[in-house]
Amino acid sequence: MHRFLIPLFVLLSSAAAHAAPGPRVASPDGTIVVELATDNDGRPAYAVSRKGQPVIASSRLGFLLLDAPKFERNIEIVQPRTRTFDETWEQPWGERRLIRNHYNELTVTLKEKAKPFRSFDVVFRVFDDGVGFRYRFPKQSGLEQVKISEELTEFSLARDATAWWILAGEWNREEYLYHRTPVQQVGDAQTPITFRFEDGTHLSIHEAALVDYSGMNLTRVEDRKLKADLTPGIGEGKVVLAAPFHTPWRTLLLSDDAAGLAMSSLTLNLNEPNTLGDVSWVKPMKYVGVWWEMHLDLKSWASGPKHGATNENVRKHIDFAAKHGFGGVLVEGWNVGWDGDWFGNGEDFSFTQSYPDFDLEALSRYARSKGVVLIGHHETSGNAAHYEEQMGDAFDLYQRVGVPAVKTGYVADASQAKVTGTDGKRHYAWHEGQDMARHHLKVVTEAAKRQIAVNPHEPIKDSGLRRTYPNWITREGARGMEFSAWGQPGNPPEHEANLVFTRLLAGPMDYTPGIFGMKTRSTDGIATTWAKQLSLYVVIYSPLQMAADLLENYEKNPAPFQFIKDVPVDWDDTRVLNGEVGDYVTIARKERGGDNWYLGALTDEDGRTLSVPLTFLDEGRRYTAQIYRDGDKAHWKTAPQDIVIEERSVARGDTLTLKLAPGGGQAIRFVAQ
Ligand code: NOJ
Ligand code: CA
């Protein structure tokens, strides 16, 4: 426990001259140390080091409250108590089956030194791969209802670092391309935000268990110092809660390299165990859909001559899914409400009434007769208030006709969602405010009562709640493939290599890969090779994974399509083999309940050669590697279709040399012999 004996505050704190060193706690392996202290003004702060090097310098803890004195100064740290926890738990579905949850915990009470002697607790959990901490407000007189106007939590980076981040507060929510800047150029940023220090240490700041609280952004207040910037609420106070309550966990993932960040299960570990009981009804699956054709403007969500969700078109998709082994068919534009100005409005949507050329019950029956299910769709246009009025009936309908999963949508500018306040009136709301956090959990729990899984687009950020609510199966929450379908700059070749080490650290994403038809409404089309499209099925983890292209593009290209048919969506194990943020990554995964391994590697706009030792393969057996690689001429811009499909026999201990084209990738299926 006590490998690093010099008090961190002596090393780290600009206020060190006055700091009174306080309690400390180290990770089980001793490499990460968290130390608490107060300065001469009684301002509480924490600091973090890893392998003896400072990572987070003295950083403030506290709150500004409405209608009550602040919690910031004249505070003392009392009653430190520690415990150790170590268990291994099983995911019902996931990127790995077993997860070890091993940490040392330190809880302290932060108490006012003067009347009225109010207090709150801070709990630190220190893992070998990072730190989580959260505040707990006990019930006490004068603080029955707490209105938080600012959370003062700081994250003061101890050293210079490169940052990968997207702006917070912009109209398009989480759907932005990542900036790469020195930490000193970070503005108001969303989380997860990722940093690389000059010695190669990587740090990702995010949050876990975002329940009944506002999502946290980070704003840079000076030099390398970031501060929590809670999403506004719908009235006074960014968060309003009755004590006792606790905040979400503030998380710091720490690793020697980028790959280590993507291996972490810390966010899941900080969430509560499954509360839904038997969730065998939550089925990971691949799906096709009446979808890409709308984004290419070949079909419409609205009724009329271009309507996509017709009985005939849906049956065609069901037949295709059944023939090629897909579990689901997503149908968008099936319900009344798309004909007017639906974007950011949502008042016209009915979640129970189909357009006349779409027979929900008959199509669901038809699908089930072929071993396929329909995936429902509820676009709300951010109007959560309107949706909640119909939600019970809508889920009852899906349960009755046998639709076991629903994709929801919240297409509205940031701050233009709508919720019902305690006054019973509708209020504009931010997508990540406390009221929307409540809304999303309501959707998930109401859906769970009907054994329906939920996949929100334009969602609240992922904070690992799939552990507690395993029917919260995936979500969007970043720039998806759809951007490359539209008539504006699509996703550039480095986008997915950014996502893996930023947004995807939070959890699964419904990115919708698998596009072979490279000509779209975007000038650059899809900025990847075909082999890279295949690699996305392994690299981007999502238990609902779409084969997003037009069916005809798969029918015309059966050879590369075979990989999409073969690749699983549920895994026993995951190994991130290499990677650099925004440059490249290689991930291997073992299928759930089977012997085969899969590998995906992808690169940004630079071609590169990666040497990959097959250390993950099981000992003592041979595998047929079915390789889908970029051809010699492959290039995302000039020759995306140049793909070579070949086989070779391999075993653990062999090393493969992966040659990735500019904007390229490689996908491999290792079939156990
Ligand atoms: C945006 C979603 O990301 C997309 O998948 C969906 O098709 C549209 N909204 C319409 O709901
Ligand atoms: Ca979207």
Side-chain angles (χ1 to χ4, degrees):
M1 272 288 269
H2 296 285
R3 269 173 44 190
F4 306 109
L5 292 174
I6 309 166
L8 273 176
F9 272 80
V10 175
L11 288 171
L12 305 183
S13 170
S14 51
H18 308 293
R24 67 206 299 274
V25 57
S27 56
D29 69 359
T31 56
I32 299 177
V33 176
V34 174
E35 212 171 314
L36 290 163
T38 49
D39 65 12
N40 278 354
D41 295 320
R43 286 158 53 113
Y46 73 100
V48 182
S49 73
R50 180 172 183 273
K51 296 189 176 174
Q53 296 296 316
V55 177
I56 300 289
S58 174
S59 293
R60 187 154 66 133
L61 300 164
F63 291 91
L64 301 184
L65 306 177
L66 277 178
D67 306 329
K70 64 181 180 173
F71 268 126
E72 193 231 354
R73 230 152 55 71
N74 296 323
I75 285 172
E76 59 183 340
I77 298 172
V78 296
Q79 294 172 354
R81 50 259 190 217
T82 54
R83 69 174 182 131
T84 294
F85 187 83
D86 189 3
E87 69 163 17
T88 297
W89 58 280
E90 183 171 353
Q91 296 203 89
W93 46 263
E95 62 278 63
R96 51 178 63 86
R97 194 165 68 79
L98 296 174
I99 292 185
R100 184 163 182 205
N101 185 11
H102 188 197
Y103 57 81
N104 290 328
E105 184 181 273
L106 166 69
T107 304
V108 295
T109 297
L110 302 181
K111 193 163 186 300
E112 287 176 324
K113 287 197 234 170
K115 271 190 177 162
F117 300 112
R118 300 169 310 163
S119 69
F120 61 103
D121 294 345
V122 193
V123 184
F124 283 87
R125 287 187 182 167
V126 187
F127 302 77
D128 292 343
D129 61 355
V131 177
F133 63 96
R134 76 166 167 208
Y135 301 94
R136 274 196 324 225
F137 277 72
K139 203 171 168 165
Q140 55 198 304
S141 81
L143 269 186
E144 286 77 16
Q145 206 201 30
V146 181
K147 292 186 190 162
I148 296 171
S149 56
E150 292 291 341
E151 182 180 319
L152 299 176
T153 311
E154 287 174 353
F155 304 87
S156 185
L157 269 61
R159 292 172 280 150
D160 282 347
T162 303
W164 286 266
W165 58 284
I166 53 175
L167 261 183
E170 288 289 331
W171 72 273
N172 217 356
R173 305 162 311 273
E174 297 162 311
E175 301 183 9
Y176 287 94
L177 295 175
Y178 279 81
H179 298 300
R180 171 196 174 131
T181 70
V183 58
Q184 287 86 350
Q185 285 170 26
V186 173
D188 197 15
Q190 304 192 40
T191 73
I193 179 172
T194 298
F195 300 95
R196 185 177 63 212
F197 294 100
E198 279 158 4
D199 68 354
T201 304
H202 283 64
L203 162 70
S204 166
I205 305 177
H206 186 48
E207 60 184 307
L210 171 51
V211 177
D212 206 2
Y213 202 84
S214 284
M216 178 183 73
N217 296 311
L218 296 177
T219 194
R220 198 173 56 81
V221 285
E222 63 171 330
D223 196 30
R224 297 185 300 246
K225 187 191 286 181
L226 306 165
K227 180 187 150 298
D229 178 23
L230 296 183
T231 305
I234 61 171
E236 287 183 316
K238 292 183 163 179
V239 174
V240 179
L241 281 168
F245 69 88
H246 50 238
T247 69
W249 296 93
R250 279 65 189 93
T251 60
L252 307 163
L253 303 186
L254 284 163
S255 165
D256 283 336
D257 51 25
L261 292 182
M263 282 293 285
S264 177
S265 298
L266 183 147
T267 310
L268 284 171
N269 277 331
L270 288 169
N271 277 272
E272 297 300 319
N274 170 13
T275 54
L276 299 181
D278 174 17
V279 286
S280 53
W281 46 271
V282 179
K283 301 261 193 267
M285 63 177 141
K286 284 173 291 181
Y287 69 100
V288 293
V290 177
W291 185 73
W292 190 242
E293 51 203 305
M294 270 92 100
H295 289 273
L296 294 181
D297 201 25
L298 303 171
K299 291 270 199 260
S300 65
W301 287 271
S303 62
K306 277 167 72 175
H307 190 214
T310 63
N311 290 324
E312 189 193 346
N313 196 24
V314 175
R315 266 199 298 269
K316 187 175 98 181
H317 282 75
I318 293 169
D319 292 343
F320 180 92
K323 180 170 167 200
H324 295 289
F326 288 83
V329 174
L330 166 73
V331 188
E332 296 197 2
W334 66 276
N335 58 322
V336 168
W338 294 92
D339 290 337
D341 181 16
W342 60 270
F343 194 104
N345 173 15
E347 289 295 337
D348 298 335
F349 281 123
S350 164
F351 299 103
T352 50
Q353 199 187 336
S354 307
Y355 279 126
D357 51 353
F358 176 87
D359 187 336
L360 175 65
E361 193 161 356
L363 287 167
S364 182
R365 203 179 321 118
Y366 180 68
R368 288 213 170 244
S369 76
K370 299 194 138 202
V372 174
V373 294
L374 292 185
I375 297 177
H377 186 232
H378 292 159
E379 175 56 63
T380 70
S381 297
N383 196 333
H386 179 72
Y387 184 34
E388 285 191 17
E389 286 166 10
Q390 296 184 37
M391 200 163 70
D393 291 342
F395 288 147
D396 284 347
L397 172 66
Y398 276 161
Q399 185 184 31
R400 183 170 63 74
V401 302
V403 172
V406 59
K407 169 178 171 179
T408 59
Y410 294 84
V411 173
D413 288 9
S415 82
Q416 303 297 294
K418 293 186 194 94
V419 297
T420 308
T422 43
D423 56 4
K425 294 193 182 130
R426 289 197 182 175
H427 295 266
Y428 283 96
W430 290 83
H431 282 67
E432 298 199 328
Q434 183 184 13
D435 289 86
M436 287 301 277
R438 283 185 181 151
H439 168 74
H440 281 284
L441 265 195
K442 189 166 182 179
V443 174
V444 163
T445 49
E446 285 302 311
K449 286 181 197 159
R450 283 88 165 178
Q451 303 203 336
I452 294 170
V454 183
N455 166 19
H457 278 225
E458 302 77 51
I460 195 162
K461 68 168 86 166
D462 199 335
S463 59
L465 283 165
R466 65 188 157 121
R467 180 176 181 195
T468 317
Y469 305 97
N471 69 321
W472 199 338
I473 191 160
T474 188
R475 75 186 84 192
E476 188 197 43
R479 236 175 180 257
M481 186 70 80
E482 61 192 16
F483 275 79
S484 296
W486 303 337
Q488 52 177 292
N491 295 329
E494 69 164 20
H495 184 53
E496 295 90 350
N498 276 324
L499 285 178
V500 170
F501 300 108
T502 53
R503 155 69 183 85
L504 296 180
L505 298 176
M509 176 179 178
D510 187 26
Y511 185 71
T512 70
I515 305 297
F516 292 160
M518 295 281 146
K519 251 175 68 84
T520 66
R521 299 158 71 201
S522 161
T523 39
D524 278 343
I526 310 286
T528 75
T529 64
W530 280 14
K532 181 170 177 175
Q533 285 297 305
L534 300 182
S535 76
L536 295 175
Y537 287 89
V538 184
V539 169
I540 296 183
Y541 170 62
S542 181
L544 286 186
Q545 191 74 283
M546 189 173 202
D549 207 345
L550 305 178
L551 305 184
E552 68 208 48
N553 287 332
Y554 295 134
E555 267 151 0
K556 279 189 283 191
N557 299 291
F561 182 48
Q562 189 60 44
F563 184 81
I564 301 178
K565 290 169 64 167
D566 290 335
V567 69
V569 286
D570 197 16
W571 309 98
D572 260 344
D573 201 2
T574 284
R575 312 274 175 87
V576 183
L577 302 177
N578 59 36
E580 290 291 347
V581 189
D583 294 340
Y584 67 94
V585 63
T586 305
I587 298 182
R589 304 191 198 265
K590 188 180 193 187
E591 71 183 323
R592 181 71 69 113
D595 295 325
N596 298 342
W597 281 86
Y598 292 76
L599 177 147
L602 58 80
T603 180
D604 59 3
E605 66 284 355
D606 294 327
R608 68 183 83 228
T609 302
L610 301 174
S611 175
V612 176
L614 304 179
T615 47
F616 51 89
L617 293 175
D618 295 345
E619 191 78 65
R621 63 189 312 169
R622 295 204 68 79
Y623 296 80
T624 306
Q626 301 171 348
I627 298 171
Y628 299 74
R629 65 171 174 86
D630 291 323
D632 289 345
K633 295 202 179 59
H635 189 293
W636 68 270
K637 207 163 197 168
T638 50
Q641 299 92 334
D642 185 12
I643 189 168
V644 174
I645 303 171
E646 61 194 9
E647 280 191 3
R648 51 184 283 199
S649 177
V650 297
R652 182 188 171 110
D654 293 348
T655 294
L656 289 183
T657 303
L658 314 184
K659 207 166 154 287
L660 312 180
Q666 186 161 148
I668 306 178
R669 177 181 190 225
F670 297 92
V671 183
Q673 292 171 5

